Amino acid sequence: EVSFLILKSYHASTTVAKDITLVTDIDVDPRDRDVLIVDDIFDTGKSFDFVDRHLKMQHPASVTGFALLAKPDRHEVVYRPNYIGFSVPDVWVEGYGMDSAEKGRGNPDIIVKHE
């Protein structure tokens, strides 16, 4: 079963906001279920940490995290995903669902965005 949770952290810019906003919560009850968090990128880790804490308050059986990309030099929280596809340097990337202020999301490749 799949459910989506939407957060807002960049607020139409390329700098991370101080506050994470929960825009849309999941529409299933995670109580006593194994939950897998899937995200595009583990940057500072604040979003993953927010989702992990939010879900654990709902008493799932377990919470596991996966990120396609991770930027180890940017991590600011203790939380780490259990699985990471690729580590990348501290560059702005877009494409394959990742965007820059809602642009570039549809690129089928992950590219480095040059200002």
Side-chain angles (χ1 to χ4, degrees):
E1 193 169 353
V2 176
S3 184
F4 294 91
L5 182 142
I6 301 172
L7 303 177
K8 194 148 225 48
S9 60
Y10 286 91
H11 302 285
S13 73
T14 58
T15 58
V16 179
K18 292 180 182 178
D19 296 315
I20 308 282
T21 305
L22 178 62
V23 177
T24 304
D25 204 348
I26 58 175
D27 61 358
V28 297
D29 183 1
R31 182 178 299 277
D32 300 324
R33 299 175 88 175
D34 295 314
V35 177
L36 174 64
I37 302 169
V38 178
D39 203 0
D40 53 1
I41 190 161
F42 186 84
D43 191 342
T44 64
K46 291 178 181 179
S47 293
F48 256 102
D49 185 59
F50 178 95
V51 172
D52 183 66
R53 287 183 290 110
H54 174 72
L55 291 171
K56 285 181 177 172
M57 289 189 306
Q58 300 175 57
H59 309 288
S62 67
V63 177
T64 304
F66 167 78
L68 176 62
L69 303 176
K71 295 182 182 180
D73 294 340
R74 303 254 314 148
H75 298 173
E76 296 180 12
V77 297
V78 174
Y79 176 89
R80 295 291 181 269
N82 304 80
Y83 306 100
I84 294 172
F86 305 94
S87 289
V88 296
D90 184 14
V91 295
W92 189 264
V93 293
E94 69 178 32
Y96 205 69
M98 295 171 280
D99 65 30
S100 297
E102 301 299 325
K103 296 180 182 158
R105 182 181 301 275
N107 190 325
D109 300 308
I110 298 172
I111 62 168
V112 174
K113 174 72 175 176
H114 299 284
E115 297 298 322

